[in-house]
């Protein structure tokens, strides 16, 4: 089987554009490009070439689906963030007494309240930076995988 993989890889590197996902067409192209006397060897090589190209097509389709799903998720996430930012404005007007009640409780422990307030401020700043990095990382991984397979 190693011989079939090696021969198929050599043929694909030189004549990739000539082959497709159809076994019979690949067999005809193999007859035009090379001379293989053994019918079984020719069929195995054409079959392996077809298998490789079908895998690449499925990978490309799956990759595109992942990218589309990620874009939809990010759009929904952005819409949710916009809704949350608009809701607190309405909530602040309605819930003016509630923050006063919350402020009364932290007064005895003013020092610990100041420290956690500083930490959450640092975390949101880190999260937006982390999200684009993750987005880029996923896209970069997909592109790297594509480049490696080519």
């Amino acid at each position: 089987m190693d011989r079939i993989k090696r021969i198929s890889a050599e043929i694909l590197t030189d004549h990739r554009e000539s082959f497709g996902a159809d076994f019979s067409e690949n067999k005809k192209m193999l007859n035009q490009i090379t001379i293989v006397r053994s019918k079984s060897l020719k069929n195995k090589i054409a079959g392996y070439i077809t298998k490789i190209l079908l895998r690449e097509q499925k990978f490309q389709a799956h990759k595109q689906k992942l990218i589309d799903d990620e874009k939809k998720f990010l759009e929904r996430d952005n819409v949710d963030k916009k809704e949350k930012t608009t809701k607190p404005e309405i909530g602040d007007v309605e819930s003016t007494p509630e923050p006063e009640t919350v402020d009364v409780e932290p007064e005895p422990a003013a020092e610990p309240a100041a420290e956690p307030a500083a930490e959450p401020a640092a975390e949101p700043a880190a999260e937006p930076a982390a999200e684009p990095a993750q987005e880029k990382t996923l896209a970069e991984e997909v592109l790297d995988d594509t480049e490696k397979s080519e």
Side-chain angles (χ1 to χ4, degrees), residues 102-113:
V102 174
D103 289 340
V104 172
E105 293 175 1
E107 285 179 18
E111 294 175 6

Side-chain angles (χ1 to χ4, degrees), residues 5-58:
K5 290 179 181 179
R6 180 181 53 81
I7 294 170
S8 299
E10 288 176 8
I11 292 170
L12 276 176
T13 55
D14 296 334
H15 305 283
R16 179 174 289 272
E17 64 280 348
S18 302
F19 294 98
D22 185 30
F23 171 75
S24 59
E25 292 297 320
N26 289 345
K27 201 161 82 168
K28 290 176 185 176
M29 287 305 299
L30 191 62
N31 282 334
Q32 293 175 1
I33 293 171
T34 63
I35 299 173
V36 180
R37 293 186 179 145
S38 171
K39 182 177 181 180
S40 64
L41 182 62
K42 181 181 9 175
N43 287 341
K44 288 178 183 177
I45 293 171
Y48 191 73
I49 289 172
T50 304
K51 180 179 175 182
I52 290 172
L53 294 176
L54 285 173
R55 280 184 183 172
E56 287 179 359
Q57 286 179 354
K58 286 180 184 178

Side-chain angles (χ1 to χ4, degrees), residues 20-136:
D22 185 30
F23 171 75
S24 59
E25 292 297 320
N26 289 345
K27 201 161 82 168
K28 290 176 185 176
M29 287 305 299
L30 191 62
N31 282 334
Q32 293 175 1
I33 293 171
T34 63
I35 299 173
V36 180
R37 293 186 179 145
S38 171
K39 182 177 181 180
S40 64
L41 182 62
K42 181 181 9 175
N43 287 341
K44 288 178 183 177
I45 293 171
Y48 191 73
I49 289 172
T50 304
K51 180 179 175 182
I52 290 172
L53 294 176
L54 285 173
R55 280 184 183 172
E56 287 179 359
Q57 286 179 354
K58 286 180 184 178
F59 172 76
Q60 293 295 332
H62 183 67
K63 179 180 77 170
Q64 188 62 40
K65 183 177 183 251
L66 286 175
I67 291 171
D68 292 343
D69 289 345
E70 185 177 359
K71 286 179 182 177
K72 288 178 184 177
F73 175 76
L74 291 174
E75 288 174 2
R76 288 182 197 152
D77 192 35
N78 288 338
V79 169
D80 290 343
K81 286 181 181 179
K82 288 179 182 178
E83 289 177 0
K84 288 180 181 179
T85 57
T86 57
K87 287 180 181 177
E89 292 174 1
I90 296 170
D92 288 342
V93 172
E94 296 174 354
S95 63
T96 306
E98 290 179 4
E100 292 176 20
T101 310
V102 174
D103 289 340
V104 172
E105 293 175 1
E107 285 179 18
E111 294 175 6
E115 292 174 5
E119 291 175 5
E123 289 176 13
E127 288 177 9
E131 289 176 13
Q134 290 173 354
E135 178 183 341
K136 290 180 182 178

